[in-house]
Amino acid sequence: MTHAIPRTPLVTSRLPEVGTTIFTVMSALAQAHGAVNLGQGFPDFDCDPRLVDAVDAAMRGGLNQYPPMAGVPQLREAIAAKIDSLYGHAYDPGSEITVTAGATQAILTAILATVHPGDEVIVLDPCYDSYEPNIELAGGKPVHVALTPGTFEPDFAAIRAALTPRTRAIIVNTPHNPSATVWSAAQMQQLAELLRPTDVIVIADEVYEHMVFDGALHQSVARFAGLAQRSIVISSFGKTYHVTGWKVGYAAAPAALTAEFRKVHQFNVFTVNTPMQHGLASFMADASHHLELPAFYQRKRDLFRAGLAASRFRLLPSAGSYFQCVDYSAISELSEEAFCRWLTAEVGVAAIPVAAFYKGGFEQRLARFCFAKKDETLQLALDRLAKL
Ligand SMILES: Cc1ncc(COP(=O)(O)O)c(C=O)c1O
């Protein structure tokens, strides 16, 4: 008998290319240098105390056991009513809406439910970092198509060229992280037209749906009959209600897609925490929070932009989301990551290199700031950045 030393079996990584994300790196650097962290995208202010009270009331009222698998019915009804009133599409709360553990889980679930090994999924670079590994976990092949450099508008000729008989889905994110662009109604119609002869599913990441500025409207896929029928629409209560740590979101999709979505959801998270769902449902009864959110964030955007107006940063438009991208080429020749590291360590403000959102990186001398911060935080950052 051999007495081998017990050892942990070696595992062939499912995601060999995944390492520490730039968000973790920059946040750690910000902390080490006492920098103002405008890197990672979350608010540094609290949510409405009435939302906490509503969750507290649910917990104290004994609503602490498993809810229905698809989510608390009152919350699904509130979501359906909101989508109908804003975008004019009536999803059935019973068969077409599922409450998820944040948008992140909804995106993974949507991909696992629809993508088979060898299927292709089009992602538009720059894009949120979970899409690519999610597609790989499903055995799918990410097909990267760049948004037009400079404007970040969708390049429909390039998307058309990327479509093949193996294309299963395209992921569309509007308002867009990191570029802060929003798709127009005409662009959504162009997408609908392009996909009309195909069976391609749209995974619509609309987590910033309530942050669209200057009087423009969010063009949800739910507004367009030709898209709604082939789309899984994903949103995040974390973004809308300033509670990113609660990790509650939802997916709305036609019943046939929702049925497949729920098969994966059921054996992944099964259910999302009950009292948060009840709290959100009762808070949503008053629509004023999400209706006032564009003005709330537009004021912060304007404050931040005004503070940088005299600097050498060139400000890109910020039409939606809570991000502001800047071109720093008049200030530095450094690569984006090197510039963001320098900015964090030497100037005391953390930002994220836009190149990090591209497969293989793409240098444009752009950095992304998050303005979902208290005015004092923004002011402190501006005091440091305005000199540049
Ligand atoms: C484009 C985009 N999609 C999805 C998410 C994840 O949302 P959640 O926190 O609800 O998982 C984020 C968060 O930063 C995001 O920016």
Side-chain angles (χ1 to χ4, degrees):
M1 224 169 91
T2 54
H3 294 278
I5 300 164
R7 67 176 178 87
T8 306
L10 289 174
V11 168
T12 304
S13 178
R14 295 288 312 277
L15 296 170
E17 285 182 29
V18 171
T20 313
T21 72
I22 189 72
F23 305 99
T24 309
V25 171
M26 296 310 300
S27 286
L29 202 63
Q31 205 163 18
H33 291 276
V36 184
N37 192 352
L38 303 190
Q40 226 169 348
F42 59 85
D44 70 344
F45 45 84
D46 215 347
C47 64
D48 190 317
R50 289 171 300 175
L51 177 55
V52 177
D53 289 344
V55 172
D56 181 64
M59 283 184 183
R60 291 183 194 283
L63 296 168
N64 296 304
Q65 307 309 326
Y66 295 130
M69 184 269 283
V72 163
Q74 296 92 314
L75 182 57
R76 281 185 279 139
E77 280 155 23
I79 294 165
K82 183 200 79 170
I83 297 176
D84 198 5
S85 83
L86 291 179
Y87 312 130
H89 185 94
Y91 286 99
D92 171 22
S95 62
E96 299 190 315
I97 289 177
T98 311
V99 179
T100 61
T104 309
Q105 183 239 316
I107 296 164
L108 175 62
T109 302
I111 291 170
L112 289 177
T114 56
V115 175
H116 288 249
D119 284 353
E120 296 172 1
V121 180
I122 298 177
V123 295
L124 305 175
D125 282 359
C127 70
Y128 189 59
D129 62 351
S130 77
Y131 303 162
E132 164 119 354
N134 283 186
I135 296 162
E136 285 175 348
L137 283 175
K141 183 176 161 228
V143 175
H144 293 266
V145 175
L147 293 164
T148 309
T151 63
F152 296 100
E153 293 197 346
D155 177 344
F156 287 104
I159 297 172
R160 183 191 302 277
L163 286 170
T164 76
R166 300 280 349 219
T167 309
R168 174 71 283 188
I170 178 169
I171 306 181
V172 170
N173 169 219
T174 181
H176 185 241
N177 175 14
S179 75
T181 51
V182 300
W183 285 39
S184 66
Q187 287 167 334
M188 296 307 268
Q189 258 142 7
Q190 254 180 293
L191 180 69
E193 201 48 38
L194 186 61
L195 299 183
R196 199 160 48 84
T198 76
D199 271 330
V200 171
I201 291 165
V202 178
I203 297 174
D205 180 343
E206 302 188 2
V207 299
Y208 300 104
E209 63 176 320
H210 300 298
M211 300 165 203
V212 176
F213 311 134
D214 307 313
L217 294 176
H218 169 55
Q219 299 299 336
S220 172
V221 290
R223 286 182 189 272
F224 303 87
L227 291 173
Q229 282 314 314
R230 62 169 76 242
S231 296
I232 301 174
V233 190
I234 291 165
S235 190
S236 167
F237 292 112
K239 307 289 181 192
T240 302
Y241 295 108
H242 317 314
V243 288
T244 57
W246 288 10
K247 297 302 293 183
V248 187
Y250 62 85
L257 287 176
T258 294
E260 292 306 316
F261 182 97
R262 288 183 183 170
K263 287 182 192 174
V264 177
H265 179 80
Q266 170 153 359
F267 296 111
N268 180 359
V269 293
F270 176 43
T271 56
V272 174
N273 76 70
T274 308
M276 259 62 173
Q277 293 193 59
H278 281 284
L280 285 162
S282 68
F283 193 68
M284 276 179 85
D286 175 4
S288 59
H289 176 88
H290 68 254
L291 294 178
E292 287 163 14
L293 208 58
F296 174 84
Y297 273 121
Q298 185 172 323
R299 197 191 60 77
K300 289 197 180 287
R301 178 201 66 172
D302 291 346
L303 180 125
F304 190 59
R305 287 176 72 89
L308 291 181
S311 75
R312 285 176 296 160
F313 285 114
R314 185 172 68 79
L315 301 172
L316 272 58
S318 171
S321 81
Y322 47 44
F323 301 113
Q324 171 66 57
C325 288
V326 297
D327 178 328
Y328 62 81
S329 48
I331 298 170
S332 168
E333 307 245 291
L334 289 171
S335 73
E336 292 184 10
E337 181 168 343
F339 179 78
C340 289
R341 283 177 179 274
W342 171 80
L343 198 68
T344 308
E346 303 298 329
V347 182
V349 181
I352 300 289
V354 172
F357 296 84
Y358 284 87
K359 172 78 175 167
F362 176 52
E363 291 287 335
Q364 301 170 92
R365 305 269 191 277
L366 296 179
R368 187 202 76 176
F369 293 111
C370 170
F371 55 76
K373 305 293 169 190
K374 292 176 193 150
D375 288 2
E376 309 92 90
T377 310
L378 294 175
Q379 206 48 63
L380 188 59
L382 288 170
D383 291 344
R384 298 172 183 185
L385 295 172
K387 312 189 211 27
L388 296 175

